[in-house]
Every structure is written in C-alpha cells, then in structure tokens.
Amino acid sequence: MVKPLFKWTGGKNRLLEKYTNLNFFPDSSEFDTYVDLFAGGGATFLWVANRYPDKKLIINDLNTELVTMYLHIRNEWDTFLPYYEKYVKEFMRGDPKERKELYDSYKPVYSFEYDKYDPIEISALLLVMMKTNFNGIWKNYIKWNNRYSTPAGTMTYKEGLFNVGNLIQFRDVLRRAEVLNLCYSDVVIPERSWVFADPPYRDSEKMYSDQFDDEDQVKLSEYILKHECLYAESNKEIGDEFWNKLYPSNNINYLDHKYTCGQGDSTKHVTEVLIKNYGNNIQKQPTLTNFFS
Ligand SMILES: C[S@@+](CC[C@H](N)C(=O)[O-])C[C@H]1O[C@@H](n2cnc3c(N)ncnc32)[C@H](O)[C@@H]1O
C-alpha cells in the first residue's frame, strides 16, 4: 500500500488495524465520494484510495504550503522530480552533523528567499526537509516568516527514505483526487459522501499552522451533523464528557493510541475517540465509563 511521504503529528498511519476492527470502512455501496476535511500527511486517504479504487476522493487541508506541495507533485511532476532528486542527492551526503548544517542552511532559503526560486523547486525542498525533520512536527515560527521552519531531525536516515517509487504511487492517488486548500467549513460536500474529520486534537499544544479550540470543535460537529452523509470524526478523549454533548453516545468508540510528539523524543499514550454514524454494531463496544475502568 502507498505510504505517507513523511511523518505527520497526529497522523493515523499506525491505526489501520484498530480502525478496521471498529468498522471504520463502510460498505462500498453506501457512498460515492470520500471527503477528507483535514487531510494532513494523508494516511487516511491512502487507506481509502487503496480500498476503494473507483471512488471519488476530495482531499482538503488549510495548510497552504502543504497543499501547494501536493499540487506540484500531482500537476508538475516532470519539473518536480529533478528538483527532488537534486535535493535528495545533497541530503544523502555527509555525516549527520553535516546534514544538519545543510538542513539549517536551507531554512532561510525556504522561509525568506523562496520567492527568488521556482515555486516547484521550493515544494521539492519542503518535501525533503519534511522527510528529515524533527518528529514530523509542523512548525511555522513567526521569526521564520510564519513559514515551515521545523528543526532538523537526527539526520541518520538511509536512502530508502526518499524512495521515488512510493512518491509516484502517492502522485497517482493525488491524480484521482480533488485537492483543496480551504477551511473545512468551505468544502462543498457532494451527495452520498463519506466525510472524515481528523482536526487537531483537543487539549494539544499548537502543532499546526492554526489553532483549533473547543469552540471550533463544536462548530465542526454542527457542520458535520447538518449534512446528510456518512461521517467519522477522530479526536482525543480527556474524560470531560465533551463528545457526549456533541454526538449521540452510541456513535462514540474509544481506542488507545501511542504517538510521538513535541518536546523530546517521547511517546504519549492517549485515548482517542472515533465517532461515526455507521457500523456501530460492534460486539463489546466499550462505553466511556467501562473503557476507563
Ligand atoms: C490531526 S492533523 C490530520 C492528520 C491526518 N488525518 C493524517 O493522518 O495525516 C490535522 C490537520 O488539520 C489541518 N487544519 C487545521 N485547521 C483546519 C481547518 N480549519 N480546516 C481544514 N484543515 C485544518 C492542519 O493543517 C492539519 O493538517
């Protein structure tokens, strides 16, 4: 199966089995279009593209630098690939210390001098930096012109990280999709859609380009519920009954998840919710109370 191109904080990559067990994937007869409102690194739309080769895909994210890169991979492949290969060659040279110096030397180019370059080259540079950065975190510091500026990772990677075969397969999934750079609330949902929403976690440090507070979570649930569609939403449970107030409680499933995050190279354990209005006849489905007991 096609893999995401880089780690992405909050990415669903490692949850495929748990999601499958929770009946995340509806029967193919139940929808025509899959809409990923918060696509991020794309783990979920890759599962869906693989499982339903004939369905229409709509992929959206508010992050303009990320979506521009996806569009360049999809639409400008013949120009993108030589730039990508040029940067891969550079990033494969040297020891980790030299690679880190190289990464650091490209940050000002990416953040401040980007408009002196071909935008497709800047997207290729972004992809190489995102593959080699610290823990798949997206940072866009003010002092770096509010553009991508995540610090370098360990820089001990091997050439396989830059595999062009997977990139080509990813491009082909993008070619099947409508790719949008909107706030989720501006996405037009076609009839017979299956809508997936994986917004930033509640109660998380600011990790994406835009903050998403509880008021936004409430607005998102209203937006989802006003559409007649299959829906699924993923988020974090912090034991304050928040989700039970927004959605019918028999639509809420609980699961454990571990993810690497922020400060230090630490792994965090969280309880996630997978809220959905289909496939909830799961045997021994835990409730909030018995999940924690
Ligand atoms: C948890 S991540 C999604 C992870 C994704 N499902 C994956 O597996 O890689 C949340 C995403 O929401 C995006 N985002 C934040 N606010 C948004 C908004 N108002 N509309 C659309 N996307 C938004 C962020 O840029 C980020 O990519």
Side-chain angles (χ1 to χ4, degrees):
M1 188 158 70
V2 193
K3 295 199 194 90
L5 299 179
F6 34 77
K7 275 207 248 168
W8 187 257
T9 305
K12 295 280 160 245
N13 210 18
R14 285 182 291 162
L15 282 174
L16 178 57
E17 195 184 333
K18 287 184 180 172
Y19 268 43
T20 306
N21 292 341
L22 288 170
N23 294 341
F24 175 68
F25 297 102
D27 191 88
S28 165
S29 63
E30 292 181 79
F31 72 102
D32 295 332
T33 307
Y34 170 75
V35 185
D36 199 333
L37 294 174
F38 302 83
T44 326
F45 73 69
L46 293 174
W47 299 342
V48 173
N50 178 57
R51 197 170 180 118
Y52 307 95
D54 302 323
K55 297 293 181 188
K56 193 176 165 218
L57 307 171
I58 298 179
I59 296 166
N60 177 66
D61 200 283
L62 190 59
N63 183 324
T64 301
E65 291 165 60
L66 176 76
V67 173
T68 302
M69 183 185 74
Y70 286 161
L71 288 171
H72 283 151
I73 293 172
R74 187 184 77 172
N75 301 340
E76 309 290 347
W77 177 252
D78 290 345
T79 312
F80 183 91
L81 183 62
Y83 283 135
Y84 175 71
E85 288 178 327
K86 176 184 95 166
Y87 285 112
V88 169
K89 214 166 158 189
E90 286 191 30
F91 273 73
M92 280 313 299
R93 287 199 205 113
D95 60 22
K97 187 168 166 283
E98 287 162 323
R99 290 173 177 181
K100 186 177 174 309
E101 283 163 9
L102 181 70
Y103 185 105
D104 290 343
S105 74
Y106 275 123
K107 276 173 66 178
V109 172
Y110 185 84
S111 294
F112 296 105
E113 294 159 32
Y114 63 95
D115 50 359
K116 296 188 193 134
Y117 289 75
D118 179 347
I120 303 166
E121 174 165 7
I122 288 298
S123 284
L125 174 60
L126 175 62
L127 178 55
V128 173
M129 292 176 88
M130 287 180 68
K131 279 176 171 290
T132 58
N133 74 13
F134 178 71
N135 264 351
I137 295 163
W138 180 278
K139 289 285 185 192
N140 51 330
Y141 294 104
I142 296 168
K143 67 177 180 191
W144 288 98
N145 203 17
N146 262 320
R147 284 175 57 85
Y148 169 85
S149 38
T150 305
T154 59
M155 308 311 261
T156 52
Y157 48 79
K158 303 215 167 67
E159 192 152 7
L161 179 68
F162 302 106
N163 184 314
V164 173
N166 188 63
L167 182 54
I168 290 173
Q169 289 176 314
F170 193 97
R171 174 204 68 186
D172 291 344
V173 172
L174 292 175
R175 284 185 175 168
R176 272 180 58 194
E178 190 177 337
V179 181
L180 304 174
N181 177 214
L182 298 171
C183 177
Y184 75 85
S185 55
D186 294 325
V187 175
V188 176
I189 309 285
E191 271 180 34
R192 283 183 44 84
S193 283
W194 168 27
V195 176
F196 179 54
D198 182 19
Y201 269 168
R202 276 189 79 209
D203 194 29
S204 63
E205 67 162 300
K206 185 172 186 266
M207 280 179 184
Y208 308 100
S209 35
D210 289 281
Q211 189 60 292
F212 208 87
D213 62 20
D214 277 358
E215 210 179 303
D216 295 311
Q217 307 283 5
V218 172
K219 283 190 195 142
L220 170 62
S221 71
E222 289 165 355
Y223 168 87
I224 289 177
L225 290 170
K226 82 172 185 218
H227 287 93
E228 268 189 40
C229 61
L230 296 185
Y231 70 73
E233 177 176 350
S234 157
N235 214 295
K236 184 169 157 187
E237 173 59 61
I238 56 173
D240 63 356
E241 302 279 338
F242 182 79
W243 301 110
N244 283 297
K245 289 177 203 140
L246 303 186
Y247 292 101
S249 53
N250 60 355
N251 283 7
I252 307 176
N253 303 277
Y254 301 94
L255 59 150
D256 281 322
H257 183 37
K258 280 187 227 159
Y259 71 104
T260 47
C261 72
Q263 320 303 323
D265 213 350
S266 61
T267 302
K268 289 209 170 171
H269 291 256
V270 289
T271 301
E272 284 210 354
V273 286
L274 176 62
I275 304 163
K276 56 191 173 67
N277 65 346
Y278 58 89
N280 288 319
N281 51 342
I282 304 158
Q283 285 201 335
K284 292 196 193 147
Q285 183 185 9
T287 62
L288 180 57
T289 324
N290 71 24
F291 187 85
F292 281 109
S293 61

